[in-house]
Amino acid sequence: DVKVTQSSRYLVKRTGEKVFLECVQDMDHENMFWYRQDPGLGLRLIYFSYDVKMKEKGDIPEGYSVSREKKERFSLILESASTNQTSMYLCASSFSFRGRNGYTFGSGTRLTVV
Amino acid sequence: SQQGEEDPQALSIQEGENATMNCSYKTSINNLQWYRQNSGRGLVHLILIRSNEREKHSGRLRVTLDTSKKSSSLLITASRAADTASYFCATDDTGGFKTIFGAGTRLFVKA
């Protein structure tokens, strides 16, 4: 069964900490995405990557960075966590650019910054 | 407001009834997708309909697309308690480089 795996389901971090969220896919997809999901706001795109070492900003990249050193792994980094980054983070991958054949999502990481 | 807005925000029905959710969008699109999300989990892709298609079926799901009205509907027939979830539409607009998700419809199916 094809999968997108996010390393943590729940995470609690302190304000100012550097936080790493890891995502691994086993489908050999070139395209990977990080979204955050907040009540009433839907999914908002933070960053995406269409190839190894390539990254593009999404709608809300401020306060975040990403790393794509290997095709299967896409990491989201919160440089200095703040309480307004408390959210559900969803990683996704797709075969085609822009997800034209659908995205495969991970189970999500619920991050709480205290 | 967002591209891809679902209506209603929440829907509560009895098991066995049909559930209809609507999605409106603003710009021209290449395709429109529907996803389901169970509480606290990731999204699961349900169905994709292309801009040149008007209707698509998958099991108990029926999706329609009206590009002249910039709207889509998702019909779940003979609903089950296991259909309780949030449902999102996502649009892939012709001018941009990303897929945009709406805020979702929360469906409650009572046994």
Side-chain angles (χ1 to χ4, degrees), chain B residues 5 10 37 39 48 55 59 63 66-67 70-71 74 85 100 110:
Chain B
E5 294 187 6
Q37 183 182 34
S39 180
L48 180 149
E55 188 170 312
V63 169
D66 187 335
T67 53
K70 292 186 168 59
S71 68
L74 170 67
I100 301 173
K110 294 176 279 189

Side-chain angles (χ1 to χ4, degrees), chain A residues 61-102:
Chain A
E62 296 78 20
Y64 303 95
S65 63
V66 289
S67 172
R68 184 107 182 261
E69 294 297 318
K70 293 184 178 181
K71 191 175 188 178
E72 66 271 18
R73 187 179 296 271
F74 192 36
S75 303
L76 179 69
I77 304 156
L78 285 66
E79 298 292 342
S80 177
S82 63
T83 54
N84 63 13
Q85 291 178 311
T86 291
S87 187
M88 169 72 110
Y89 289 87
L90 293 165
C91 175
S93 72
S94 69
F95 172 74
S96 62
F97 186 56
R98 297 169 69 180
R100 285 176 177 167
N101 293 322

Side-chain angles (χ1 to χ4, degrees), chain A residues 9 35 37 40-43 45 48 59 88 90 97-103 105-107, chain B residues 2 30-31 33 35 37 40-43 48 50 88 92-93 96-99 101-103:
Chain A
R9 286 292 313 281
Y35 287 89
Q37 182 180 25
L41 296 178
L43 275 70
L45 182 64
F48 64 99
D59 296 317
M88 169 72 110
L90 293 165
F97 186 56
R98 297 169 69 180
R100 285 176 177 167
N101 293 322
Y103 293 89
F105 280 86
S107 295
Chain B
Q2 296 182 65
N30 291 313
N31 62 61
Q33 305 173 50
Y35 288 81
Q37 183 182 34
R41 309 292 296 191
L43 278 70
L48 180 149
R50 303 195 189 280
F88 296 83
D92 171 16
D93 69 272
F97 292 94
K98 55 184 184 282
T99 299
F101 290 81

